[in-house]
Amino acid sequence: MRKKVQLWQLALVLCILGFFFAGGKAAEGVLRTRREREAGLALAQQVQEHSTGEKYAPSGLLMKYDALYRQNQDLAGWLSIPGTATDCPVMNTPDDPEKYLRMAFDGSYAISGSLFIGEGCTPDGSNVILFGHNMKNGTMLGTLPRYTREDYAKEHPVFHLDTLTQEREYQVIAAFFCTAGEKFPYGYTDLTQPEVFEEFLDQAEKRALWSMPRRPQPGTRLATLSTCSYQGEEGRFVVIGAEAG
């Protein structure tokens, strides 16, 4: 009987230790996420502070990105979605496209990672495919899945995806679910041929969760934003924008 009591007590102690360990890990995760968000806000503040006055720096870059580029030359641009927490740098490392999957702008490890341009794409390409994590706090591309609702798309009709030298605005034209590695949309990195451009838009219209507000003409630059959807294995959610103007 005494042996059974001792085993029960041991099990209880282990359960208690496990509870506190799990709680500690959860608290650590919350603190890490908070620190990463604060770091992102600091970068956005730095950009904001340089958004007035001279538009271009002597380097030829937009003044608001010049100092950041000198800090990290993997910087390729900036994405902001008005009315959301998405306001962050876009990285590009052609030799290692997923380098920033779990890396912050300053090179440190980050659960939220950084936004980055996909393999085969360039900041000035005809279709800039951009990847980022679906963070629960809304940072990175955490609010992207809200575009499943047409009313949300109408309330947030544009996003800004700047390069280091040009400010660019995109109108949201489609949103849909897919899986990682599908030819559409991830295989369409070059839309310079009109027939390929039209094929891409045909696929977007078929997949779209709501009607396309306008169909862009061939030659229009597109941007494809992709994040995890958690709808089945390898699920992804994608929003496509067409450059305005």
Side-chain angles (χ1 to χ4, degrees):
M1 182 69 176
R2 185 174 180 179
K3 186 175 183 180
K4 288 184 178 180
V5 171
Q6 289 176 336
L7 289 174
W8 180 85
Q9 290 175 334
L10 177 60
L12 180 61
V13 170
L14 290 175
C15 286
I16 293 172
L17 290 174
F19 173 81
F20 282 109
F21 179 77
K25 283 293 184 181
E28 181 183 348
V30 170
L31 289 174
R32 178 186 290 274
T33 301
R34 183 180 299 170
R35 287 196 297 268
E36 290 174 10
R37 181 168 189 173
E38 289 173 351
L41 290 172
L43 291 175
Q45 180 63 34
Q46 186 174 340
V47 168
Q48 186 62 34
E49 289 172 354
H50 291 86
S51 295
T52 57
E54 293 293 329
K55 186 171 184 178
Y56 287 96
S59 63
L61 304 185
L62 287 165
M63 182 67 77
K64 56 185 175 181
Y65 305 132
D66 183 68
L68 287 183
Y69 181 73
R70 283 187 273 112
Q71 293 173 41
N72 187 339
Q73 295 186 7
D74 288 339
L75 180 68
W78 194 273
L79 176 72
S80 62
I81 306 177
T84 76
T86 299
D87 189 20
C88 41
V90 174
M91 315 306 287
N92 186 37
T93 50
D95 294 334
D96 184 10
E98 296 188 359
K99 175 181 177 180
Y100 284 87
L101 184 67
R102 296 294 182 189
M103 184 182 290
F105 177 81
D106 64 1
S108 63
Y109 176 80
I111 291 293
S112 57
S114 301
L115 303 184
F116 60 91
I117 294 174
E119 184 176 5
C121 296
T122 65
D124 288 308
S126 53
N127 183 25
V128 185
I129 303 178
L130 191 68
F131 296 90
H133 289 296
N134 181 358
M135 301 301 294
K136 291 181 179 180
N137 63 4
T139 57
M140 298 304 152
L141 296 181
T143 60
L144 205 66
R146 297 178 187 177
Y147 280 98
T148 54
R149 307 196 323 264
E150 186 172 11
D151 61 334
Y152 183 87
K154 289 179 178 179
E155 293 167 2
H156 301 79
V158 301
F159 60 83
H160 302 273
L161 178 55
D162 297 344
T163 67
L164 296 177
T165 58
Q166 290 186 325
E167 296 175 328
R168 294 175 178 170
E169 181 177 277
Y170 292 78
Q171 180 184 4
V172 175
I173 60 170
F176 53 88
F177 292 100
C178 65
T179 57
E182 285 192 64
K183 179 180 179 182
F184 174 80
Y186 304 112
Y188 289 81
T189 57
D190 183 357
L191 302 180
T192 53
Q193 297 299 316
E195 62 273 17
V196 178
F197 183 91
E198 296 291 359
E199 180 181 310
F200 182 84
L201 288 185
D202 288 343
Q203 291 289 331
E205 284 190 309
K206 288 179 182 177
R207 297 278 193 100
L209 299 172
W210 30 262
S211 299
M212 188 177 288
R214 72 178 179 93
R215 187 178 174 99
Q217 295 298 309
T220 303
R221 183 180 286 107
L222 302 182
T224 300
L225 312 182
S226 175
T227 194
C228 293
S229 70
Y230 307 117
Q231 302 244 340
E233 188 176 356
E234 296 295 307
R236 297 292 183 269
F237 185 73
V238 170
V239 168
I240 296 175
E243 189 172 15

